[in-house]
Amino acid sequence: MRMPRSGFDSTAPRRRTLLAASAASAFLPLAATGTAWGAPDADDAYDTLLARAAAQLTGGAFDAADPDFAAALKVLDTQASGWWRQLDRSAGRTALWADLSPAKDPGNFGQSYTRLRTIATAWATPGTSLSDSAEVADAVLDALRFLHTEAYRPDRPETGNWWFWEIGAPRALMDTCVLLRDRLPAADLTAYVSTIAKFCPDPDRRTNAPTLSETGANRADKAVIVALRGLIARDAATLALARDGLSDVRDKGKNSLFTYVTSGDGFYEDGSFVQHGSVAYTGTYGSVLLGSAGQLIALLADSEWAVTDPKTSVLYDAVDRTFSPVLYDGLMMDALRGRAISREKAPDHQDGAVTVTNILQLASGAPAAYAERWRALAKGWIRRNTTTPYLRLVGIPALARAKAVLDDDAVPATDRLTGHFAFADMDRVVHRRPGWALTLSLSSKRIAAYEAGNGENLHGWYTGDGMTYLYDGEDLGQFGDGFWATVDPYRLPGTTVDTRQRTDIGSGGGTGTYRPKNAVAGGTVLDGRYGAAAMELIADGSTLRAKKSWFFLDNAVVALGAEITAGDGRTIETVVENRNLHAGGTPRLTVDGRRRPSHPGWSAPLPDANWAHLEGTGGYVFPESPGSPAGDGQDGPRLHALREDRTGTWRAINTGADTGGSTTPVTRRYLTLWLDHGASPTSSSYAYVLLPGASAAATAAWARSRPVHVVANDATAQAVEARRSGLLAAHFWQPGSAAGITASGPCTVLVRRDDDGVSLAVADPGRTGATVRLELPFPVREVIRADDTVAVTPGRRPVVTVRVDGSRGHAHTAALR
């Protein structure tokens, strides 16, 4: 098991607290500092890079009269001066802060260094109440000595969470040393460098487990720490070690951050990012990797230690391939944030802001073609999010880069990304339309359903069981406004669940993941526009089994479930929607043209509903399912609706040492729609259609005209036909026929026929087959284009043979006529 990261940031001062602010006068230069080592030599490479490292922390020169900078400066000053007032400077102290006692505890000394870094940053930033104060500088230096004596020194063995010893504390300590470098006595400097050399000697290995190679974000973080140690110690070999750590020179590139992986941690060619072996972690660990690697590239640029690995293009390409699809108007999609969803101080907009910041930082040293595109992307993200404005979330360094982009008329603001993205290597699907996006979180024996540990993500039981996240451009606070503290964790949208009571997960030390036993999870994408996905549900701690599929169209998402079976005597539910209406929302719910009550506490069965519409969200249609029970003595699932105010606390889902939530009650209102399959169902099924952004009238018209037909929903196949767009979409669980397509074995198929010909996409999300043979229901004369894994025999009943073995669930495509 891997242990957790502290918060969501271990680069620069904590991004969620070091925001900055407080007006001062006109233009303010970088803080001038006294010198304990003699005046810096402008031609000295170490001094040049140390000044650059300090500027990365403070932001360099800025106009304090600018309202945005003034606000950021005030935030920094408020946070730092608060820690300063609470700092225990007494001779007999046992801790620096009363709430971080005893200081010897790893979580406590780790957070103590972080607070000292915040104070040091305010000291080094002109315009704060602590700026250039000799009293503050001396107190911070004394506090560093206290921590070295009492808590963090080379002769202490690692205990508790390794992260505090090897990443959290050394990073904050090195940053503080950079800021106070001209006041640090040589003896102190030597002591701190020796300590960090003990616990973070190189980026390559875990110090408390030397046989474990560092990967992904942890490697990137350690590379920055080693580089700062090299600068402080003026050691060329250590700087080279840091640079080479990014490329894993030691192990001949095996764990290079600039190499695509096919298993385990790192970037995948399909845009996936995995950390901790099996967790989809683009939104936190991936972002940290991007930030730390980008920071080190910028720090060492134009020096003898510059990063020159030609494969840095992997990192650059990740912005478009990995991060852009999962950023929605500057929000980081929760399906990619792992256990961080339970962190009160790190909601989706905060982690999104961190990622945007890291992208703009990387742009500062990237080739022009990349940088121009990223700045345009960032401008669009920042401008569109007026709910949680980026400029209020970030500190002075990030603010300076963002304002330069926003003020540059030559930089266009890119529109919202549209398209369908199937991340086969991390069991995630993202479908993006102009006004909305839907993310699907799956899991399998390869990718974890959840990660929990060290008190984090205590109720994450069903987040990987087919949860659907609907993002609406008009409601950017859906998941960031108290959602995880208040939502019913047994009723997450898209999931089929056994209603058994669950206990907290991850409350003990260390982190762990749960990977279910199913093989099938994933799907395919056609023309970058349409998608299909499936997951075999093998529930944890229950006999519940289900076959679930989703079909992603231009303006709709069709969800099908079949073979829903359980034998534990408990009720099984499929959750259609559980919408956060915020503190007191009363959007209109209309069912089959009739308005339903809007007061909290209303609940009703809706067994004969054909359609429903939630004002401000969209429509829901409930077509008949070909797989509905017939002759087995059971009725089909019954729709229910509920409006309720739910109260919870962040502490109930996160008790982490440095990420634990508050006990303050939070109340949010919800509208829930769910299908009740009854107790211990046998071969139950469901079918519903999401129409995001649709009006009530459009939803009613859709329900009447049924432009998409459910043509199969059983143990053999789940399939739909969208005749207007000429699309057939199916997932085959076994050999059989559906929608006119015959398949020789399990696979996901999308076929579209129009005046220009036929386009085809096939995948094997279960990764169990070698080849799949398909017969199509219409004639094909010739092959226009086909992947080398696809063979086509034209004719009146054409045959397509796809070699799926070894393709890891990715799509195989062809264009026919």
Side-chain angles (χ1 to χ4, degrees), residues 497-515:
V497 298
D498 182 329
T499 54
R500 73 188 182 98
Q501 285 296 114
R502 302 291 297 265
T503 58
D504 288 353
I505 50 176
S507 57
T511 61
T513 60
Y514 168 69
R515 281 187 286 174

Side-chain angles (χ1 to χ4, degrees), residues 70-317:
L73 193 63
K74 183 178 180 180
V75 172
L76 171 62
D77 193 23
T78 300
Q79 181 68 85
S81 60
W83 295 141
W84 167 248
R85 287 191 299 271
Q86 297 169 25
L87 178 65
D88 186 347
R89 287 178 275 164
S90 64
R93 63 190 173 186
T94 58
L96 298 179
W97 284 275
D99 63 328
L100 297 180
S101 180
K104 290 184 177 181
D105 179 85
N108 291 337
F109 70 66
Q111 293 179 81
S112 295
Y113 279 118
T114 298
R115 292 181 184 180
L116 290 176
R117 176 175 59 189
T118 301
I119 295 172
T121 302
W123 171 84
T125 303
T128 75
S129 61
L130 308 182
S131 298
D132 208 26
S133 164
E135 179 187 10
V136 170
D138 289 343
V140 172
L141 293 175
D142 190 53
L144 293 178
R145 294 185 197 106
F146 169 81
L147 289 177
H148 179 76
T149 300
E150 298 295 325
Y152 191 56
R153 59 178 191 268
D155 62 336
R156 285 200 70 197
E158 287 191 28
T159 58
N161 189 340
W162 72 269
W163 186 90
F164 290 115
W165 294 88
E166 300 186 28
I167 293 179
R171 178 59 195 272
L173 174 55
M174 280 291 88
D175 285 342
T176 306
C177 289
V178 166
L179 294 167
L180 294 170
R181 62 192 183 281
D182 295 334
R183 291 177 176 266
L184 268 170
D188 290 0
L189 182 67
T190 299
Y192 305 151
V193 167
S194 297
T195 298
I196 293 173
K198 161 68 183 301
F199 295 109
C200 184
D202 57 62
D204 303 311
R205 296 289 188 273
R206 184 72 49 83
T207 303
N208 74 342
T211 60
L212 179 63
S213 295
E214 293 292 10
T215 59
N218 293 331
R219 174 176 287 269
D221 276 347
K222 285 192 170 185
V224 173
I225 294 165
V226 173
L228 295 176
R229 175 166 64 86
L231 288 176
I232 290 289
R234 296 175 177 256
D235 186 334
T238 300
L239 279 164
L241 185 66
R243 175 202 62 208
D244 294 346
L246 297 179
S247 303
D248 193 15
V249 171
R250 174 175 175 172
D251 289 327
K252 299 180 180 179
K254 179 180 178 181
N255 295 295
S256 171
L257 303 182
F258 309 135
T259 298
Y260 289 119
V261 300
T262 57
S263 64
D265 293 355
F267 291 111
Y268 291 74
E269 282 194 89
D270 74 344
S272 298
F273 179 86
V274 170
Q275 189 85 30
H276 291 181
S278 64
V279 185
Y281 251 136
T282 308
T284 48
Y285 284 90
S287 179
V288 168
L289 188 162
L290 187 73
S292 292
Q295 180 182 2
L296 191 53
I297 289 171
L299 177 63
L300 301 180
D302 302 319
S303 74
E304 62 181 283
W305 305 285
V307 177
T308 58
D309 189 330
K311 293 183 179 180
T312 51
S313 60
V314 169
L315 188 68
Y316 298 149
D317 289 339

Side-chain angles (χ1 to χ4, degrees), residues 469-743:
Y469 299 77
L470 176 59
Y471 290 88
D472 181 345
E474 302 302 318
D475 183 16
L476 295 180
Q478 177 60 212
F479 301 104
D481 178 27
F483 180 85
W484 294 104
T486 57
V487 73
D488 184 342
Y490 296 93
R491 287 179 171 166
L492 300 180
T495 61
T496 298
V497 298
D498 182 329
T499 54
R500 73 188 182 98
Q501 285 296 114
R502 302 291 297 265
T503 58
D504 288 353
I505 50 176
S507 57
T511 61
T513 60
Y514 168 69
R515 281 187 286 174
K517 297 178 181 179
N518 58 290
V520 176
T524 192
V525 55
L526 180 65
D527 299 333
R529 179 176 175 180
Y530 303 105
M535 177 180 170
E536 179 188 10
L537 177 66
I538 301 177
D540 178 25
S542 167
T543 60
L544 172 62
R545 303 292 185 267
K547 299 182 185 302
K548 297 168 69 72
S549 292
W550 297 262
F551 302 98
F552 303 87
L553 312 175
D554 284 330
N555 299 305
V557 177
V558 182
L560 302 180
E563 292 297 296
I564 300 169
T565 300
D568 303 296
R570 295 182 292 266
T571 298
I572 305 301
E573 297 178 349
T574 293
V575 185
V576 176
E577 181 62 279
N578 201 349
R579 203 71 181 160
N580 181 1
L581 307 181
H582 307 290
T586 57
R588 179 180 303 177
L589 175 67
T590 304
V591 180
D592 290 337
R594 178 186 171 192
R595 183 173 181 175
R596 297 296 176 140
S598 58
H599 60 81
W602 170 78
S603 179
L606 304 168
D608 300 317
N610 292 310
W611 63 271
H613 180 267
L614 180 61
E615 182 182 16
T617 298
Y620 310 86
V621 177
F622 303 94
E624 291 184 6
S625 169
S628 296
D632 65 355
Q634 297 191 67
D635 296 325
R638 294 178 177 177
L639 181 67
H640 292 256
L642 168 68
R643 285 187 190 262
E644 63 176 337
D645 284 345
R646 292 186 55 82
T647 299
T649 70
W650 286 99
R651 192 70 180 177
I653 61 173
N654 192 318
T655 60
D658 64 338
T659 62
S662 69
T663 58
T664 303
V666 179
T667 300
R668 294 292 182 268
R669 186 164 296 172
Y670 287 85
L671 185 284
T672 311
L673 299 173
W674 76 95
L675 296 163
D676 185 343
H677 298 280
S680 296
T682 301
S683 298
S684 185
S685 65
Y686 64 80
Y688 63 87
V689 182
L690 304 178
L691 300 173
S695 66
T699 302
W702 205 102
R704 286 193 304 270
S705 64
R706 299 290 168 93
V708 178
H709 293 266
V710 178
V711 296
N713 189 21
D714 53 37
T716 297
Q718 292 167 308
V720 300
E721 180 180 8
R723 292 177 182 174
R724 292 177 186 174
S725 57
L727 184 71
L728 300 176
H731 177 78
F732 290 91
W733 296 98
Q734 59 188 8
S737 297
I741 302 170
T742 299

